[in-house]
Amino acid sequence: MVEVVKIEAEARGRAGKGAARATRRAGLVPGVVYGAKQAPALIAVDPARIMRELHRHGWRSRLFDVTVAGATERALLREVQFHPVTDRPEHVDFQRLAAGQEIRVAVEVVFLNETLSPGLKKGGVLNVVRHEVEVYATPETVPDRFEIDLAGLDIGTSIHWSAIKAPEGIRPVIADRDFTIASVAAPTKMTEAQQAEATAAAEAKAATPAKGAAPAAKAAPAAKAAPAKKG
């Protein structure tokens, strides 16, 4: 099951740009908790707490228990707005969740056993088409992540949604086809290290005389010019 993280927040009494700026001057990030057919709740959150969650994988499908004045609401972190210059969080949106309510959520895809893939051992490349997959789920069934086992996969193998063992009741947003998640592709170019090694080997081969070949003759010294005859 998906991880549930607790977030402590403060209530904000007023909306609007002026109130939001005052919240930021106080060192907090203004935000809102909306959804589940209830009135939006204005909140203020510690920016360091938000950034800590954003730096962890899978935050789009992580559930949060947002606590304000002792009351807790389960929610998803839907959007974070950042300052265009400082990159500090400027506003956060949480979507309130109701038990049994179907929601659309992006779930992280994790790849396992890369060292056991014959294709990757040969120098193939794991071409990831989707790092996340959007699915419909309820708050009780949101998966923490989707795992894909790469063991035994050779070059030219494609991995589709059907390869994912999703929990019962989870359905993908893309429903009209067995869409691709990733593939093990042939290498498109040599790495810099491989190129340098190949160049060095070619130069060494060119500098080594072929087996059985006679050594090159030494050039004869230039002949001295004959003295000019006196007239």
Side-chain angles (χ1 to χ4, degrees), residues 138-177:
T138 64
E140 298 79 19
T141 61
V142 175
D144 180 47
R145 62 183 189 175
F146 291 134
E147 296 182 347
I148 291 180
D149 190 356
L150 299 176
L153 300 188
D154 210 336
I155 290 175
T157 304
S158 292
I159 306 158
H160 300 91
W161 163 254
S162 56
I164 292 181
K165 297 178 180 178
E168 186 177 354
I170 303 297
R171 57 190 180 92
V173 171
I174 301 174
D176 61 344
R177 64 187 185 277

Side-chain angles (χ1 to χ4, degrees), residues 34-211:
Y34 66 89
K37 299 181 180 180
Q38 299 181 37
L42 302 178
I43 61 172
V45 188
D46 180 1
R49 190 73 181 85
I50 296 298
M51 293 304 298
R52 193 180 311 149
E53 293 303 320
L54 295 181
H55 287 150
R56 298 173 59 206
H57 289 292
W59 65 268
R60 293 183 184 276
S61 62
R62 190 172 303 132
L63 300 184
F64 293 90
D65 279 346
V66 182
T67 302
V68 181
T72 300
E73 295 187 294
R74 182 150 296 182
L76 283 169
L77 180 55
R78 281 303 194 187
E79 184 179 2
V80 181
Q81 299 173 15
F82 295 93
H83 190 280
V85 177
T86 65
D87 283 337
R88 293 177 181 174
E90 291 253 288
H91 194 276
V92 295
D93 289 353
F94 287 92
Q95 180 185 357
R96 185 186 291 115
L97 303 178
Q101 172 194 2
E102 189 174 64
I103 54 176
R104 180 171 174 166
V105 60
V107 179
E108 180 186 19
V109 178
V110 177
F111 298 91
L112 307 177
N113 297 323
E114 292 190 25
T115 58
L116 300 180
S117 165
L120 297 180
K121 285 183 178 179
K122 296 174 185 176
V125 178
L126 180 62
N127 179 29
V128 180
V129 178
R130 290 178 172 84
H131 292 276
E132 296 176 333
V133 176
E134 283 196 302
V135 298
Y136 293 110
T138 64
E140 298 79 19
T141 61
V142 175
D144 180 47
R145 62 183 189 175
F146 291 134
E147 296 182 347
I148 291 180
D149 190 356
L150 299 176
L153 300 188
D154 210 336
I155 290 175
T157 304
S158 292
I159 306 158
H160 300 91
W161 163 254
S162 56
I164 292 181
K165 297 178 180 178
E168 186 177 354
I170 303 297
R171 57 190 180 92
V173 171
I174 301 174
D176 61 344
R177 64 187 185 277
D178 191 15
F179 54 89
T180 302
I181 306 294
S183 63
V184 180
T188 55
K189 62 180 180 179
M190 301 173 69
T191 64
E192 291 184 3
Q194 289 173 323
Q195 288 176 345
E197 184 178 347
T199 301
E203 291 176 351
K205 184 177 181 180
T208 304
K211 188 175 181 181

